[in-house]
Amino acid sequence: MRKRMSLLVGAVAVSVALAGCAGGNAGSESTSDSGDENQVEVFTWWASGSEKVGLDALVEVFAEQYPDIEFVNAAVAGGAGSNAKAALASRLEADNPPDTFQAHAGAELSDYIAADQLQDLSAFYDENGLTDVFPESLIERLTVDGKIYSVPSNIHRANVTWVNSSVLDKAGIDPTKAPADMDAWIADLQKLKDSGVESPLALGTEWTQMQLLETVLLSDLGAEGYSGLWDGTTKWDSDGVKTAVDHYSQLLGFVNSDYTGLDWDAATQILIDGNAGYNVMGDWAEAAFVQAGLTYDTDYTTWPVPGTEGVFDFLADSFTLPVGAPHEAAAKDWLTTISSAEGQKAFNLAKGSIPARTDTDASEYPAYQQTAISSFANDTVVSSLAHGAAAPIAWSADISSAVGKFGSDKDSDSLIKALVAASDKAQG
Ligand code: GAL
């Protein structure tokens, strides 16, 4: 016991030191006091705007279900975990884990498992009867060597084009009709530009560029070809990848000039404000449209990124129980809230995502989410690159840097070389 106490004191010291370094971390309200059993420190990147609203909805259900446990918010701002993942890595490295942290289902989760940073939650699944309430394809992405390591809160779709209906109407383009493929979409982007819309396609910082490229790869390679990128069966210097890079390069000709400095919410806001016609973003954007007071199918609409009809580019957020979590019992209570039908409903209604639980009544969800529920159930599901499902953190970081560099040099050959090198490094 004494040994455990001194470890905990050490952990608090590191926590305080890190909090001091982080300084301006928006949303970080961490006041972790490991001595108090009735608290749970939850680490996410849902620090502001519509994402924070989603987290708040979950916290509200947690407060109803566990009124005696204090929720300690350790969120680190930055879309897609662009800052959070590095901050978390430092904490784990320093043996100062939060009680639970957000991690993407799939390859990203496997990274933490391989590093022995997560506890096996198989018994928790059994005790709470969870094995049957989540879809098999999702459970597979949470399982390594037969053990399940996290509890999913939601499923997001990444290959969504958000469309400002009146901007398209004004240019004589039917917003409800998705272009058949990349070439047809690029023709519409040109039409929009010719009509006076300076930047028809809203784009943001590096990870949003990578997400755009991922959807173009999906469009040009198809679901099977795209999935083959992650197991070596599709070559990164194949003609299909070259075509995708060429299309991606053409798309960059239509984006806002300040894109490198904008997180996803600022990029999506350009569309909400009517200063662009399209934005490719995961369906957390739905929450931003709702909060701006816009109406689906009237003010804005969505379709799968052109050429990806019938494919659901999947990602899921999940919550873990780290090795050495200071408040293990409270962390399990948090996981129980997340897995509950009530927690999933409150969170997903606010977040734009769909519940991971299968015992869901689709009619209780708004129009956009109904399209996602139906697509996830019926379409081919592939794994998102930009959101941890397809590739381990190190590989996706290499791809992200290569894509960021392409934004300034526009050198297709060197992008392809970098993509090949990243794949060789990751796959040996
Ligand atoms: C994703 C995450 C979503 C959303 C998005 C933007 O990686 O899974 O829940 O937060 O980033 O930050």
Side-chain angles (χ1 to χ4, degrees):
M1 180 63 186
R2 186 166 294 156
K3 182 154 181 233
R4 171 122 181 96
M5 284 303 290
S6 68
L7 278 176
L8 291 176
V9 171
V12 173
V14 177
S15 168
V16 170
L18 281 174
C21 294
N25 268 349
S28 178
E29 295 160 16
S30 174
T31 52
S32 183
D33 168 6
S34 305
D36 181 355
E37 286 305 314
N38 290 331
Q39 65 169 230
V40 60
E41 190 197 13
V42 178
F43 185 99
T44 70
W45 54 86
W46 298 327
S48 62
S50 55
E51 298 187 310
K52 169 96 168 33
V53 172
L55 179 62
D56 289 347
L58 199 50
V59 172
E60 205 172 301
V61 177
F62 182 65
E64 279 160 20
Q65 294 181 346
Y66 298 97
D68 297 336
I69 300 177
E70 184 198 352
F71 168 83
V72 179
N73 189 354
V76 172
S82 41
N83 304 318
K85 287 184 200 171
L88 177 66
S90 314
R91 288 190 58 169
L92 296 178
E93 182 83 0
D95 286 329
N96 173 35
D99 295 311
T100 178
F101 65 83
Q102 175 187 2
H104 287 125
E108 181 183 308
L109 189 74
S110 306
D111 272 353
Y112 297 117
I113 298 166
D116 289 328
Q117 288 162 331
L118 299 185
Q119 298 193 42
D120 172 14
L121 289 169
S122 308
F124 178 84
Y125 268 70
D126 287 343
E127 281 154 26
N128 293 284
L130 295 181
T131 324
D132 298 332
V133 301
F134 297 122
E136 222 177 280
S137 59
L138 177 51
I139 295 266
E140 268 166 31
R141 288 170 162 100
L142 307 172
T143 304
V144 169
D145 292 336
K147 297 173 184 162
I148 313 180
Y149 285 91
S150 70
V151 176
S153 48
N154 60 297
I155 293 170
H156 272 304
R157 186 178 195 184
N159 59 324
V160 187
T161 313
W162 301 84
V163 181
N164 184 312
S165 305
S166 64
V167 172
L168 264 68
D169 277 335
K170 274 187 214 139
I173 302 169
D174 181 354
T176 64
K177 267 216 187 117
D181 55 21
M182 277 292 144
D183 287 324
W185 189 33
I186 287 166
D188 280 352
L189 281 157
Q190 188 60 53
K191 201 167 167 188
L192 213 48
K193 193 161 190 168
D194 292 345
S195 80
V197 180
E198 206 181 310
S199 359
L201 177 61
L203 186 64
T205 189
E206 205 169 279
W207 70 264
T208 75
Q209 298 156 37
M210 176 158 74
Q211 185 178 329
L212 177 61
L213 175 64
E214 129 185 10
T215 62
V216 180
L217 285 164
L218 189 53
S219 173
D220 284 325
L221 295 169
E224 206 182 318
Y226 169 83
S227 297
L229 292 169
W230 315 116
D231 65 14
T233 51
T234 300
K235 300 289 165 230
W236 281 90
D237 53 2
S238 61
D239 287 347
V241 173
K242 286 180 184 157
T243 303
V245 166
D246 180 47
H247 279 141
Y248 176 69
S249 173
Q250 291 184 58
L251 292 178
L252 288 191
F254 296 101
V255 304
N256 41 298
S257 55
D258 58 352
Y259 68 94
T260 53
L262 305 182
D263 208 334
W264 76 267
D265 47 354
T268 300
Q269 191 63 38
I270 298 175
L271 189 73
I272 291 174
D273 291 343
N275 294 321
Y278 312 99
N279 174 223
V280 170
M281 189 40 58
D283 48 16
W284 43 92
E286 166 68 3
F289 282 90
V290 170
Q291 279 164 42
L294 303 192
T295 306
Y296 189 75
D297 270 348
T298 304
D299 303 314
Y300 70 103
T301 192
T302 61
W303 13 266
V305 169
T308 71
E309 179 77 47
V311 185
F312 188 102
D313 188 9
F314 156 97
L315 64 123
D317 295 300
S318 69
F319 283 83
T320 59
L321 181 63
V323 170
H327 309 100
E328 216 175 287
K332 284 187 175 161
D333 293 340
W334 173 256
L335 297 180
T336 304
T337 293
I338 286 186
S339 64
S340 69
E342 202 191 346
Q344 297 242 327
K345 188 169 169 196
F347 178 66
N348 287 292
L349 279 173
K351 187 79 181 349
S353 38
I354 62 174
R357 289 182 71 109
T358 47
D359 53 354
T360 297
D361 180 355
S363 70
E364 292 177 346
Y365 282 79
Y368 167 74
Q369 275 115 315
Q370 290 193 19
T371 72
I373 289 171
S374 149
S375 170
F376 183 69
N378 300 308
D379 291 349
T380 306
V381 176
V382 300
S383 297
S384 168
L385 161 65
H387 305 283
I393 293 176
W395 189 3
S396 89
D398 285 347
I399 297 176
S400 184
S401 315
V403 172
K405 181 170 165 288
F406 182 75
S408 47
D409 67 19
K410 305 281 175 356
D411 182 340
S412 302
D413 289 343
S414 97
L415 173 57
I416 294 198
K417 272 193 198 123
L419 293 172
V420 170
S423 159
D424 289 348
K425 184 171 137 196
Q427 301 194 106

